[in-house]
Every structure is written in C-alpha cells, then in structure tokens.
Amino acid sequence: MRRLAFPHPLTLLTCCVLLAAALSQLLPAGRYERANDPATGRTVVVAGTYHAVPPTPVGFFQTLIAIPKGLIDAASVIFFVFLVGGAFTVVDHTGALRQAVGALVRRLGGHDLIVIPIVSLLFAAGGALENMQEEIIALVPVLLLLCRRMGFSPLTAVAMSLGSASVGAAFSPINPFQVGIAQKLASLPLMSGAAFRIVFLALALSAWILGTMRHASRNRAIAVVETEPATGEEFDARRMAVLGIVVAAFAVFVVGVMRLGWDFDQMSALFLLMGVLAGLVGGLGIGGTAESFVEGFKSMAFAAILIGFARAVFVVLDQGQIIDTIVHAFVTPLATMPVSLAALGMMLFHTVVHVPVPSVSGQAVLTMPVLVPVSDLLALPRQVTVLAYQFGAGLCELLTPTNGALMAILVAARVPYDEWLKFVLPRYFVLLLLGSVAVLSAIALGLH
C-alpha cells in the first residue's frame, strides 16, 4: 500500500488560503473598534467594542487575487531574500567561505559538537534581543556549509538558528516586539518579571540545545572536509579580503538593526553592496558577479514566493473581516473559567490565533487590549497574561506554516516541512509544558 505523501509546502499554503476563504463564507463578520495607543505608538483594539459588520465573504477569484496581494504586502521581505541569496552565491563562487569553514573544521579536530551550543546561543541572543526571524535567511548558506563540513544534517542548521532564535524570543525578558509591546499594552513596567523569565529562558534553551545536539549526533554523516581545493587555489589575500567584506557587512548589519532601526530595505541594500564588492575583490569581474547574482536569485525564488503565499492567508482573513470574530469567540469563554485554567486557556488561545495572525507584534496589539480586562476580572496578574501570550504565540513560530520566515528558511536549507515537524513537535510540547509550569508558578508566586 502506497504511503500518503506529505503535501508540498506550496500546496499546504494554498490550502491554508482556500481554508481562510471558506471560513470567510461560514463565520460572521465582526470588528473591534481601534484607537491609537500612545504607549506603543500603534493602533490597538478597544476592549468591549466587538460588533457585527456587514459580511464580506471572499469569493474564489478574490482568493486568487489575495495571493499577488500577499506577495505585494511582503515585497520588502521577498526582495531581501532574493538579494541575500544573490550576494552569498557571489561570495561562495569566490571560494572564500568554503576555505574558511574548512580551516575552522580542521582546527576543531573532532570537537565540532561544541559548535552547536555556541551557534545556538548566538541565535538565541538575536531572538531575545530583536525577535530575529527573516534576518536568519541571510545566514542559511553559511550554516549549511558549516554543517555539511562537520557531517551535520541541514535540519541541524535550521534547529540551531531559527529554532534557537524562536525559543530565545518566546522566553525573552526584553524582546521589544513581544514582551516589550505586551507589557506596554498591559501597563506594566518594561523588564518587570525579568529575573523570573531568565530562569525559564535558561531551562528552555538548555532543553532545545540538548535536543539539537542529540539529533545532530544521531544523524551524523561523514564530514566533508576539504584539505586544499583540487584547483590549487589557496586562502590567499584576495579571499581573506572577501571574508573581511562579509564580516564587515554583518557588523554593519547588527548595528543597523539594533541601533539604527533598519528595515528590510536597508538590509537588502547592504547585502547587495556586499555581493558586488565580494565579486569584484574576489576576481569574478563584473560579468561573473552578475551571473552569480542571477544564480542566487534562482536558488531563492521558491523560498521568496512562499513568504508571499503565507501572507495571503492573512490578506483573505482580513478581507473577510473574521479575524476579530475568531479572537472574540475564543476570549469570551475565558472570562468564566477558574484562574489557573483561564491562564492556560490563554496560552492555547494565542497558539490558535497565531496561525491566522503570524506576526507576534500584530497579535499583541490585537489580543492584549481584550485579554487584560478579562485577567483583571478574574484577578489574574497581568504579568501572567503577558507570559501566556509569549509562550502561546512565540512557541507557535516553530511550526505554523503561515510563518513565512520558517517556510522560507526550510526551503533554503532543503529541509522538508514534514521532516521538520517530526523533529520539532516533541520538543515543542516539552517547551509548551515548561511554559505552562512557568505560568502556574507565576500565579502561585503572585508575579506582578
């Protein structure tokens, strides 16, 4: 009997778009009123203002139109993916990265498992500090090269990058796009409850890193370690200069994102410049650099398209005016539950809502103004409400197909989505259990 194949990622996301359109036909349309919030500078919902609106079901042709609309909405991210892919293909064609990684592997001399916790902690810091997601796409080529030389699978590269960043973001005490916005909306001091979160952050990262190391060691292949290239090319001054350009670009990248508030347009321009300089300094010439960019564009095309398809799901739900309906339907029963059960119910609520609303900051401004009055009514500490949001929405980033960054990174790393789910689901439930313990502990301790 033939085994049923897991749907292709494009098929899966298309089904999600069609399901969203079907829901717009079945669910009643409704909206919350919105207002500008001075604390966050964002438009947020107003609690208690949900009301029915005239239905706007999304028809079949409108659903098809939503796909190019999703591509347009995600244009800045999509072009970032293209330019990153092109730039790193240029760098790869110079030979600089391959030789540098080969030298690193030889220097480690059989102790290369130590790379996993080091790299994982670096990405976890990125997640904790600035909710790193799409930015990881820029590093996929380097991570794949590193893992291949050490005999690790491409899945290991995704686990110690995107996985670690997502765990770091979900348990972070300072992530401005998750806990920062949520605490502002809950009228809590920024960094309040930080010590409590740090304890569970350490536990969560320990569990994730150990799980990643166990998978890497069990699925290890023969490492592909090059001695010297057969062409006789050496790690000469030209290739050292190319490597210097890459390092300098990432230094500027970190400063731009962390200090200057760069968006994807600025990041794209930086990698475009990096690729051009690397190609010229690396001896590819103008024509060779252009050809390398084109090859990189081709390699990243599918990953970029998936981001637009993932965005189309939200476009359909928004046009059908049923996102607020979904939120209202889940929030209403919470007000009648016992305190502990309501807190755990909030985690489940955020997990479910994060599928149609895959932006953590967007989910915060949609749900927190509604949940905070509910938590006050139940005498549930607002800090616990924020924790439930962090763990429910943040951990869902690890597996929801509507997370465009996740799907793009999996495609770029050539890791099938079903293979990723097989790896991540047991670890996801462990982290969800840890989050539940944190929520119940916060209630017991009266965390404020």
Side-chain angles (χ1 to χ4, degrees):
M1 187 174 180
R2 187 178 177 183
R3 184 182 177 186
L4 291 176
F6 195 84
H8 188 278
L10 197 58
T11 303
L12 184 62
L13 283 175
T14 302
C15 289
C16 289
V17 174
L18 295 175
L19 176 60
L23 290 175
S24 75
Q25 303 280 346
L26 299 172
L27 298 180
R31 301 285 288 182
Y32 284 103
E33 298 294 334
R34 261 89 172 157
N36 291 325
D37 181 66
T40 61
R42 294 170 179 259
T43 301
V44 301
V45 302
V46 179
T49 62
Y50 176 82
H51 59 281
V53 297
T56 55
V58 181
F60 178 72
F61 193 64
Q62 285 178 293
T63 304
L64 297 181
I65 293 173
I67 293 175
K69 282 184 175 294
L71 290 164
I72 292 169
D73 283 358
S76 59
V77 182
I78 289 171
F79 286 112
F80 171 71
V81 171
F82 274 123
L83 290 170
V84 163
F88 270 100
T89 301
V90 172
V91 173
D92 182 58
H93 284 181
T94 67
L97 274 180
R98 290 195 302 273
Q99 295 180 24
V101 169
L104 172 63
V105 173
R106 290 191 296 272
R107 186 174 293 273
L108 287 173
H111 301 287
D112 37 16
L113 269 177
I114 193 67
V115 167
I116 293 177
I118 293 173
V119 173
S120 297
L121 288 173
L122 288 173
F123 278 100
L129 291 171
E130 60 99 14
N131 203 57
M132 177 182 278
Q133 282 272 311
E134 288 86 353
E135 299 90 334
I136 296 171
I137 298 169
L139 294 166
V140 169
V142 182
L143 291 167
L144 288 177
L145 182 60
L146 179 64
C147 285
R148 186 172 68 89
R149 296 296 173 83
M150 295 183 177
F152 300 146
S153 67
L155 191 149
T156 301
V158 179
M160 64 184 184
S161 57
L162 177 78
S164 298
S166 298
V167 174
F171 286 84
S172 172
I174 56 176
N175 181 351
F177 300 100
Q178 285 193 34
V179 64
I181 290 178
Q183 285 184 329
K184 285 182 180 179
L185 292 171
S187 300
L188 294 170
L190 294 179
M191 294 290 290
S192 56
F196 181 86
R197 285 181 172 84
I198 287 172
V199 170
F200 283 93
L201 172 63
L203 293 173
L205 284 176
S206 297
W208 182 263
I209 293 171
L210 287 173
T212 302
M213 293 178 71
R214 187 178 300 113
H215 170 85
S217 61
R218 288 179 177 177
N219 297 274
R220 193 164 191 179
I222 298 174
V224 183
V225 182
E226 296 179 1
T227 51
E228 290 297 330
T231 58
E233 294 177 350
E234 299 179 356
F235 195 41
D236 54 16
R238 172 173 280 181
R239 288 171 179 77
M240 289 180 65
V242 171
L243 199 60
I245 291 170
V246 175
V247 172
F250 274 102
V252 175
F253 173 82
V254 171
V255 173
V257 171
M258 300 295 295
R259 296 292 181 89
L260 305 178
W262 277 12
D263 206 341
F264 289 104
D265 292 343
Q266 291 83 5
M267 291 187 282
S268 297
L270 174 65
F271 283 105
L272 173 62
L273 177 62
M274 183 193 83
V276 171
L277 291 178
L280 297 178
V281 172
L284 299 182
I286 295 175
T289 301
E291 289 174 1
S292 296
F293 262 108
V294 171
E295 185 177 328
F297 296 158
K298 291 178 182 178
S299 69
M300 299 300 284
F302 181 43
I305 290 297
L306 283 182
I307 294 173
F309 270 72
R311 181 65 182 176
V313 177
F314 178 82
V315 171
V316 171
L317 293 172
D318 188 52
Q319 288 180 347
Q321 300 188 93
I322 58 173
I323 292 178
D324 290 7
T325 298
I326 294 171
V327 171
H328 181 70
F330 276 95
V331 167
T332 302
L334 293 175
T336 62
M337 293 182 178
V339 173
S340 296
L341 191 59
L344 296 177
M346 286 180 182
M347 280 184 61
L348 176 62
F349 159 75
H350 282 296
T351 301
V352 173
V353 170
H354 197 65
V355 177
V357 187
S359 164
V360 286
S361 57
Q363 183 167 337
V365 300
L366 173 64
T367 61
M368 291 305 296
V370 180
L371 287 176
V372 167
V374 173
S375 62
D376 289 347
L377 179 66
L378 295 170
L380 179 69
R382 293 186 176 188
Q383 200 71 254
V384 176
T385 306
V386 174
L387 287 171
Y389 153 74
Q390 282 187 264
F391 304 145
L395 292 176
C396 193
E397 295 269 84
L398 287 167
L399 48 83
T400 175
T402 54
N403 179 357
L406 167 64
M407 301 304 286
I409 290 168
L410 289 176
V411 168
R414 294 180 175 84
V415 175
Y417 181 59
D418 57 329
E419 184 181 327
W420 172 252
L421 284 182
K422 184 179 178 181
F423 166 81
V424 80
L425 278 174
R427 293 157 181 83
Y428 169 78
F429 286 119
V430 169
L431 293 171
L432 207 59
L433 178 61
L434 182 62
S436 300
V437 171
V439 166
L440 296 176
S441 299
I443 295 173
L445 295 171
L447 187 68
H448 289 283

